[in-house]
Amino acid sequence: MATIDILRNDPGAQPIVAGTVVFREGDAGDCAYVITEGEIELSHASSHLDVLKPGDIFGEMTLIDHKVRSATATARTACTIVPIDQRRFMYLVQNTPYFAIEVMATMADRLRRMDKRI
């Protein structure tokens, strides 16, 4: 089951207005987010990195390495996002093995796309 299916009707879902900055590069982070509606743009040093769509997770690196945000996340459109704090992240990794695979696949895909830019 895809993460978006697990979280689609989550009571903690947050509506986000287009243009809202969810977090900025260099910010401390305490949660990741899954997009259930809309698009989020990731940028680094004012350079476009990616556009994320429903089902995508972002901000996950801070839950893994406990470092500051490496990019800025901005709502391109009106969005709905579901925050996943450290406790919930660990629960999902332990109890929903496919979630861990999805997170790793997302990170690997982003790394491969960045490698092609270099």
Side-chain angles (χ1 to χ4, degrees), residues 1-10 13 32-37 53-58 60 63 80-84 88-89 91-93 95-106:
M1 178 183 294
T3 301
I4 191 169
D5 295 331
I6 296 168
L7 301 173
R8 189 173 307 280
N9 296 311
D10 191 281
Y33 301 91
V34 172
I35 304 167
T36 59
E37 295 177 27
K53 300 186 183 296
D56 288 336
I57 188 169
F58 64 101
E60 74 288 343
L63 296 179
T80 303
I81 57 175
V82 177
I84 299 176
R88 188 172 195 187
F89 182 78
Y91 175 85
L92 288 167
V93 166
N95 294 295
T96 313
Y98 187 72
F99 173 77
I101 297 298
E102 280 186 285
V103 171
M104 288 186 288
T106 295

Side-chain angles (χ1 to χ4, degrees), residues 23 33-34 36 43 49-50 52 56 60 72 75 77 90 108 115:
F23 56 76
Y33 301 91
V34 172
T36 59
S43 59
L49 295 176
D50 207 354
L52 308 179
D56 288 336
E60 74 288 343
T72 296
T77 65
M90 293 306 294
D115 284 348

Side-chain angles (χ1 to χ4, degrees), residues 61-77:
M61 287 174 36
T62 196
L63 296 179
I64 295 168
D65 66 8
H66 307 287
K67 294 186 179 175
V68 298
R69 304 287 188 184
S70 62
T72 296
T74 306
R76 271 184 72 167
T77 65

